[in-house]
């Protein structure tokens, strides 16, 4: 979920030429906190008293005062570097191998050799599996598993996931494969999906300590601390190890921290804040959120069914939480988490951040309705460019400052097509991310100005019902992505570029 602790914004002019560096490879920075904790991040930078960085949960920020220094450079070791809580747990991949099947080693050697994956060999295993022979089918699973293991070792989580899931399709009841899929999901901070696979594995091998270890990780990432502790204690009772002990201690520490939080409520929000935060600030935040809630509710003509959780952090709490935090994972729960250190009342910037995050919460809930109540995890949700474009628009930002550069980038055929901005933006370097935010805003601004918010509402309804975004655009706007981008550039030219 692109919920962010501070609103992500493009407030300085884009560097058009930096876009020539649109490589998929992302330089990694390491943020070193004063307490010694190291956070692997993409493109960390300082801005206005904060250190901002990209994670799989969107752009996050830390108060500068808790950061010792930033180590620049190097390359991201994995596709999912983040300051995410659960990512800081040191849990190794499960040491598990599929049982049985003759010639496992031979298949591994066949599937991966000379530093690459032999797709032809795997295709051969697949065609041998076609008649339905059990051993041949299992061998096809092993081939994909070998490929996934290789991809995982290179940090290519996306292809690893795809291969491991294919392996599970061939051998749906092999616990080791189920656990490996879960492990890759966990590395991607996709906790709910991981749990689906772990539930299945648990039914097959209820007393396997690795299942409990991974399930605890998933719950921890979802900020369900009681369940995390229960899973890890169970795993520990079967097979104690150091990783589990450290994980258990971290979860207990977080639980204690959470229990020290006070709660406050208004009609649409449940607010938690640390005992040290000003009660007056908490009230002010709730009042501001209720005001934004009414505004967004009438703009989008939609009322989220559930109360929205909000957590305010003071600086000390933020430090504690980021030591072994659960907050980034909880972004998936749709809680709005805001560091408010040093504030006694809501200022303009905090108010805008709250509105930005609240927009994400509305969109997430609106586009998830179709999947509610289904056991399978729901993947239907608004693409990132719609989420971020709309959130910035609701915050009050418009394209004036970025229009000229956006037009220039588009004319030079360097604009990233919207279709490529549907998924996660975490691989983008800083300049690309800035472009993506500005471009998303411009396209949403054009849609809203040209056709009104009702069209946005209709687009979101269709996406919520499972329709692909471009198809939803075709039905509502009678435009495909190319038409939309052309129209947006025309709009920018006409209104802002002279
Ligand atoms: Zn955002």
């Amino acid at each position: 979920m692109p919920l962010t602790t501070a609103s992500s914004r493009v407030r300085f002019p884009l560097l058009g030429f930096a876009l020539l560096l649109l490589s998929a490879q992302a330089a990694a920075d390491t943020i070193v906190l004063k307490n010694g904790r190291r956070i692997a991040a993409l493109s960390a930078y300082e801005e206005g008293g904060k250190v901002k960085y990209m994670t799989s949960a969107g752009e996050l920020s830390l108060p500068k005062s808790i950061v010792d220094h930033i180590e620049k450079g190097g390359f991201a070791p994995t596709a999912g570097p983040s300051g995410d809580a659960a990512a800081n747990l040191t849990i190794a991949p499960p040491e598990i191998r599929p049982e049985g099947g003759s010639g496992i080693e031979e298949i591994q050697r066949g599937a991966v050799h000379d530093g690459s994956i032999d797709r032809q060999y795997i295709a051969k295993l697949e065609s041998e599996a076609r008649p339905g022979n059990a051993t041949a089918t299992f061998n096809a699973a092993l081939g994909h598993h070998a490929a996934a293991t290789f991809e995982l070792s290179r940090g290519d989580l996306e292809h690893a996931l795809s291969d491991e899931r294919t392996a599970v399709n061939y051998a749906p009841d092999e616990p080791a494969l189920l656990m490996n899929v879960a492990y890759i999901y966990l590395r991607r901070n996709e906790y709910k999906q991981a749990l689906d696979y772990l539930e299945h594995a648990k039914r097959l091998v209820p007393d396997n300590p690795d299942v409990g270890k991974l399930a605890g990780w998933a719950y921890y990432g979802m900020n369900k601390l009681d369940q995390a502790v229960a899973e890890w204690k169970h795993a520990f009772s079967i097979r104690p190890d150091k990783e589990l002990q450290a994980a258990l201690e971290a979860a207990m520490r977080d639980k204690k921290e959470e229990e020290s939080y006070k709660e406050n409520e208004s009609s649409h929000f449940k607010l938690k804040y640390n005992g040290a935060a000003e009660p007056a600030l908490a009230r002010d935040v709730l009042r501001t959120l209720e005001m934004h809630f009414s505004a967004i509710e009438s703009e989008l003509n939609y009322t989220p069914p559930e109360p929205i959780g909000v957590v305010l952090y003071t600086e000390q709490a933020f430090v504690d939480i980021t030591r072994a935090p659960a907050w980034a994972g909880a972004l998936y729960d749709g809680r709005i988490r805001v560091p408010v250190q040093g504030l006694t009342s809501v200022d303009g910037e905090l108010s805008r951040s709250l509105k930005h995050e609240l927009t994400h919460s509305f969109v997430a809930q609106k586009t998830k309705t179709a999947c509610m109540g289904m056991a399978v995890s729901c993947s239907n949700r608004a693409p990132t460019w719609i989420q971020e474009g709309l959130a910035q628009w609701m915050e009050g930002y418009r394209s004036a400052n970025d229009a000229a550069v956006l037009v220039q980038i588009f004319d030079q055929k360097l604009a990233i097509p919207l279709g490529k901005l549907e998924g996660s933006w975490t691989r983008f370097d800083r300049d690309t991310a800035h472009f993506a935010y500005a471009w998303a805003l411009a396209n949403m601004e054009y849609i809203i100005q040209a056709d009104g918010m009702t069209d946005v509402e209709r687009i979101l309804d269709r996406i919520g019902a499972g329709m692909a975004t471009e198809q939803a655009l075709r039905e509502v706007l009678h435009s495909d992505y190319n038409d939309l981008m052309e129209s947006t550039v025309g709009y920018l030219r006409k209104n802002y570029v002279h």
Side-chain angles (χ1 to χ4, degrees):
M1 297 299 288
L3 305 184
T4 63
T5 52
S7 49
S8 316
R9 55 179 71 119
V10 190
R11 290 307 64 140
F12 41 91
L14 288 154
L15 303 168
F17 295 108
L19 291 169
L20 292 168
L21 305 169
L22 279 183
S23 85
Q25 206 166 28
D29 298 334
T30 304
I31 303 169
V32 183
L33 302 187
K34 287 180 179 158
N35 67 11
R37 197 166 80 83
R38 300 166 71 84
I39 298 173
L42 284 182
S43 53
Y45 63 100
E46 289 183 21
E47 194 183 294
K50 287 178 181 158
V51 171
K52 301 193 169 185
Y53 59 103
M54 293 296 290
T55 75
S56 54
E59 193 184 65
L60 298 177
S61 67
L62 296 162
K64 208 173 128 187
S65 53
I66 68 168
V67 174
D68 190 66
H69 64 280
I70 300 171
E71 290 169 7
K72 285 275 167 199
F75 283 94
T78 70
S82 78
D84 192 289
N88 286 301
L89 293 173
T90 46
I91 290 183
E95 295 259 342
I96 38 183
R97 285 210 190 97
E99 301 283 339
S102 56
I104 291 188
E105 316 272 281
E106 186 194 319
I107 288 171
Q108 278 171 346
R109 274 197 306 275
V112 178
H113 52 85
D114 305 314
S116 64
I117 296 169
D118 187 338
R119 290 285 166 197
Q120 252 177 344
Y121 177 81
I122 294 174
K124 198 183 105 226
L125 293 177
E126 288 192 315
S127 69
E128 283 164 5
R130 224 157 276 146
N133 171 290
T135 309
T137 305
F138 196 74
N139 287 345
L142 289 178
H144 280 284
H145 171 68
T149 308
F150 175 74
E151 283 150 343
L152 188 59
S153 75
R154 317 244 294 195
D156 181 355
L157 296 181
E158 204 169 319
H159 288 106
L161 180 62
S162 157
D163 268 306
E164 200 70 83
R165 286 181 53 172
T166 309
V168 166
N169 285 341
Y170 279 106
D173 288 326
E174 173 56 48
L177 300 180
L178 293 166
M179 280 188 258
N180 273 301
V181 174
Y183 178 81
I184 299 166
Y185 272 125
L186 289 169
R187 289 276 304 272
R188 292 161 56 100
N189 307 326
E190 291 173 326
Y191 307 111
K192 287 200 178 94
Q193 289 87 334
L195 271 183
D196 290 342
Y197 283 84
L198 291 170
E199 297 293 340
H200 186 177
K202 204 183 282 183
R203 283 195 294 275
L204 299 163
V205 283
D207 281 326
N208 182 309
D210 284 312
V211 178
K213 198 166 174 176
L214 296 175
W217 179 358
Y219 285 123
Y220 185 66
M222 292 159 77
N223 208 29
K224 296 187 173 174
L225 297 176
D226 287 329
Q227 279 154 289
V229 168
E231 290 288 351
W232 282 337
K233 279 191 172 158
H234 178 63
F236 198 83
S237 72
I238 302 167
R239 191 190 65 204
D241 71 45
K242 273 195 180 150
E243 284 179 357
L244 271 172
Q245 195 180 341
L248 257 172
E249 278 166 12
M252 307 283 255
R253 194 168 53 221
D254 278 359
K255 217 159 96 73
K256 209 170 129 222
E257 173 70 35
E258 288 256 313
E259 280 159 6
S260 76
Y261 274 63
K262 289 181 201 154
E263 292 198 0
N264 208 339
E265 268 186 40
S266 63
S267 22
H268 302 106
F269 297 94
K270 277 198 160 80
L271 179 81
K272 274 189 162 193
Y273 63 101
N274 186 277
E278 296 275 344
L281 173 64
R283 283 195 298 274
D284 207 8
V285 166
L286 280 179
R287 204 179 41 75
T288 308
L289 281 168
E290 286 294 347
M291 182 181 81
H292 292 327
F293 187 99
S294 305
I296 301 172
E297 184 182 36
S298 60
E299 287 269 29
L300 292 181
N301 192 25
Y302 170 75
T303 308
E306 299 289 330
I308 297 166
V310 184
V311 188
L312 303 185
Y313 295 94
T314 58
E315 187 166 334
Q316 187 52 46
F318 203 69
V319 174
D320 290 346
I321 297 278
T322 49
R323 183 176 50 184
W327 56 271
L331 292 171
Y332 285 98
D333 291 349
R335 286 214 258 179
I336 296 173
R337 300 187 176 246
V338 199
V340 293
Q341 60 287 336
L343 292 177
T344 51
S345 63
V346 176
D347 62 11
E349 192 189 349
L350 177 56
S351 174
R352 276 196 307 276
S353 292
L354 291 171
K355 197 167 186 188
H356 181 109
E357 304 311 330
L358 187 54
T359 306
H360 284 319
S361 173
F362 266 72
V363 172
Q365 295 198 61
K366 188 173 165 70
T367 53
K368 259 185 188 167
T369 43
C371 324
M372 271 185 185
M374 286 169 64
V376 294
S377 51
C378 171
S379 56
N380 298 324
R381 57 175 202 222
T384 311
W385 71 267
I386 289 189
Q387 297 245 27
E388 295 304 340
L390 190 58
Q392 292 174 89
W393 194 89
M394 289 286 187
E395 263 191 276
Y397 288 119
R398 298 296 179 266
S399 299
N401 292 340
D402 296 321
V405 178
L406 288 174
V407 168
Q408 188 194 348
I409 289 170
F410 186 82
D411 288 346
Q412 292 170 349
K413 310 230 181 304
L414 292 172
I416 306 175
L418 293 174
K420 295 222 161 121
L421 293 174
E422 289 188 355
S424 162
W425 293 2
T426 56
R427 282 157 194 246
F428 295 166
D429 61 24
R430 177 179 157 181
D431 293 327
T432 312
H434 285 154
F435 166 81
Y437 277 101
W439 188 222
L441 172 63
N443 280 278
M444 286 310 290
E445 182 180 328
Y446 162 72
I447 294 174
I448 295 163
Q449 299 295 349
D451 304 290
M453 198 56 94
T454 345
D455 275 357
V456 175
E457 197 192 313
R458 292 168 62 213
I459 291 167
L460 292 177
D461 285 340
R462 280 167 175 73
I463 293 170
M467 189 182 283
T469 304
E470 191 167 18
Q471 181 60 22
L473 295 180
R474 264 189 221 114
E475 288 197 5
V476 176
L477 306 177
H478 310 290
S479 309
D480 61 15
Y481 269 147
N482 281 330
D483 302 332
L484 173 58
M485 292 186 290
E486 292 278 356
S487 304
T488 295
V489 169
Y491 163 86
L492 293 176
R493 240 189 263 283
K494 180 161 163 261
N495 289 280
Y496 298 119
V497 184
H498 302 290

